[in-house]
Amino acid sequence: MKEFEGSPCYAFFRVQSAGVLDFWKGFLPAEKSAFPPEEVTRLLELAPFRSHAAGDLRPDGKSRYNFSAWYGCGQAEPAVSRFDQCGRIVQALFPRIPALLEIQARYNVAFSIQIFPCDGNPDCSVIGFTREIIDFCHRTGTEIVVDLFLYGSGQ
């Protein structure tokens, strides 16, 4: 992700339209899953580092998003472990669980903590989750996604 360029490991929280990823068709959003990202910002009282609504023009200018997404609570300090990165995300969001549940009640959305643990750096090889992180995920239905693709490898 452009926002985290140069960081060997990063994590963030994502609110996205619910749906399924089809190998041939791409992401297929579920019914009633489009939402205004500004409302998520207002309810959580947190500014995203990136967001888009269904129908917004993609950065390439050639197509439009068919789903909504809100990306926030980004953690990118290379010196911070994945325990700390996820913990900081959860510390910011734990008091906002009622707002997250309200967002789920209004829209068909999925929550996830997205973790990008390495760029080949051996210091990014350990991932773990505290009881608080697991409790938060259980209360909100948040999925933990660990992406091991080497984006910066040029392959």
Side-chain angles (χ1 to χ4, degrees), residues 67-147:
F67 64 96
S68 300
W70 182 97
Y71 306 83
C73 301
Q75 300 292 317
E77 293 195 31
V80 178
S81 76
R82 265 67 57 229
F83 286 99
D84 290 343
Q85 286 181 342
C86 293
R88 288 180 184 185
I89 291 168
V90 168
Q91 284 176 348
L93 292 171
F94 212 93
R96 293 169 167 88
I97 287 176
L100 289 166
L101 297 177
E102 184 177 337
I103 292 163
Q104 281 180 325
R106 290 184 188 185
Y107 304 101
N108 189 3
V109 296
F111 298 146
S112 61
I113 294 176
Q114 302 278 321
I115 305 163
F116 296 78
C118 72
D119 64 355
N121 182 340
D123 293 336
C124 293
S125 61
V126 177
I127 298 173
F129 307 104
T130 64
R131 185 170 283 153
E132 183 182 31
I133 293 166
I134 298 301
D135 183 37
F136 169 81
C137 291
H138 175 73
R139 289 179 188 216
T140 60
T142 297
E143 181 178 61
I144 297 171
V145 176
V146 180
D147 189 330

Side-chain angles (χ1 to χ4, degrees), residues 118-120 148-155:
C118 72
D119 64 355
L148 298 174
F149 187 78
L150 298 176
Y151 292 95
S153 69
Q155 296 180 10

